């Protein structure tokens, strides 16, 4: 008879949990996004979160959502979690991999997802579903054959004391 533990976390809980943990590194005061890219053999290949490009100080560049001048907002500077995860990968090809992300990818990240050969996107929040950027993403993924589905929250509370 096996004495295997029964209450272990599922693959989806594990990878979405890693994506969410990664998002906790973000300095964005309003939306923290995390991403985790996984091989077909369920090995973690890369992670990322939304932040500024290397060399651009978190303390000097703006984090504002609005401003008279777009140059005073975060939007023109931040690298999205998905693009960071793709760019952070140094192991060669991402073809055939899955991408877990805490917020549905925008159209720009979607282009990078498709072009890097990622075949499946598992997202948590879809809070910008009505924005043209999200609608365009879904249109491109449908055309390119990239599958996407919303993560089904188990509501398991995972506590880590660090
Ligand atoms: N899939 C996404 C969508 C957005 N982001 C980043 C870009 C910004 O830093 C933030 C969104 O800010 P908000 O407009 O909600 O204040 O999230 C991303 O990394 N991935
Ligand atoms: Zn994006």
């Amino acid at each position: 008879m096996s004495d295997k533990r029964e209450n272990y976390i599922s693959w989806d809980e594990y990878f979405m949990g890693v994506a969410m943990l990664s998002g906790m590194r973000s300095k964005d005061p309003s939306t923290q996004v995390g991403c985790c890219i996984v091989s077909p053999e369920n090995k973690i290949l890369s992670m990322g979160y939304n932040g500024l490009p290397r060399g651009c100080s978190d303390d000097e560049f703006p984090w504002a959502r609005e401003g008279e001048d777009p140059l005073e907002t975060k939007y023109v500077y931040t690298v999205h979690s998905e693009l960071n995860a793709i760019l952070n990968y140094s192991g060669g090809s991402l073809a055939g991999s899955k991408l877990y992300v805490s917020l549905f990818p925008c159209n720009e990240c979607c282009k990078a997802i498709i072009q890097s050969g990622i075949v499946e996107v598992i997202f948590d929040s879809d809070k910008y579903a009505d924005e043209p950027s999200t609608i365009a993403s879904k249109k491109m993924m449908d055309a390119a054959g990239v599958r996407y589905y919303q993560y089904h929250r188990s509501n398991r509370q995972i506590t880590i004391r660090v």
Side-chain angles (χ1 to χ4, degrees):
M1 199 182 79
S2 165
D3 285 334
K4 191 182 79 173
R5 238 182 100 230
E6 293 297 339
N7 200 27
Y8 55 89
I9 59 173
S10 69
W11 285 120
D12 269 7
E13 286 175 316
Y14 177 38
F15 298 132
M16 189 55 85
V18 167
M20 288 172 172
L21 184 67
S22 179
M24 292 172 81
R25 280 281 308 153
S26 176
K27 319 297 180 309
D28 190 323
S30 52
T31 304
Q32 302 83 43
V33 188
C35 178
C36 174
I37 303 179
V38 179
S39 78
E41 297 79 28
N42 287 327
K43 290 182 184 166
I44 294 178
L45 300 176
S46 190
M47 286 172 273
Y49 57 87
N50 54 325
L52 292 169
R54 226 168 278 163
C56 302
S57 166
D58 293 324
D59 300 314
E60 285 164 27
F61 280 76
W63 287 109
R65 304 183 82 229
E66 284 163 28
E68 271 178 27
D69 183 349
L71 292 176
E72 289 165 7
T73 75
K74 63 182 174 181
Y75 294 107
V76 289
Y77 306 109
T78 45
V79 184
H80 290 191
S81 71
E82 305 92 310
L83 189 59
N84 263 332
I86 290 170
L87 295 173
N88 283 343
Y89 183 59
S90 54
S93 172
L94 289 172
S97 61
K98 297 178 282 185
L99 181 144
Y100 288 77
V101 64
S102 56
L103 178 60
F104 198 92
C106 76
N107 61 314
E108 292 302 327
C109 291
C110 177
K111 295 172 196 173
I113 289 168
I114 294 169
Q115 294 301 76
S116 56
I118 291 166
V119 293
E120 197 163 87
V121 171
I122 302 97
F123 60 96
D124 182 37
S125 167
D126 198 11
K127 68 175 179 174
Y128 294 128
D130 297 331
E131 297 287 330
S133 157
T134 306
I135 296 168
S137 283
K138 289 177 182 169
K139 219 169 160 176
M140 287 189 278
M141 286 196 217
D142 288 340
V146 174
R147 297 181 295 275
Y148 52 91
Y149 67 88
Q150 190 157 30
Y151 172 67
H152 181 76
R153 282 198 181 196
S154 62
N155 276 330
R156 186 201 293 267
Q157 180 98 25
I158 299 176
T159 309
I160 308 171
R161 192 182 302 274
V162 291

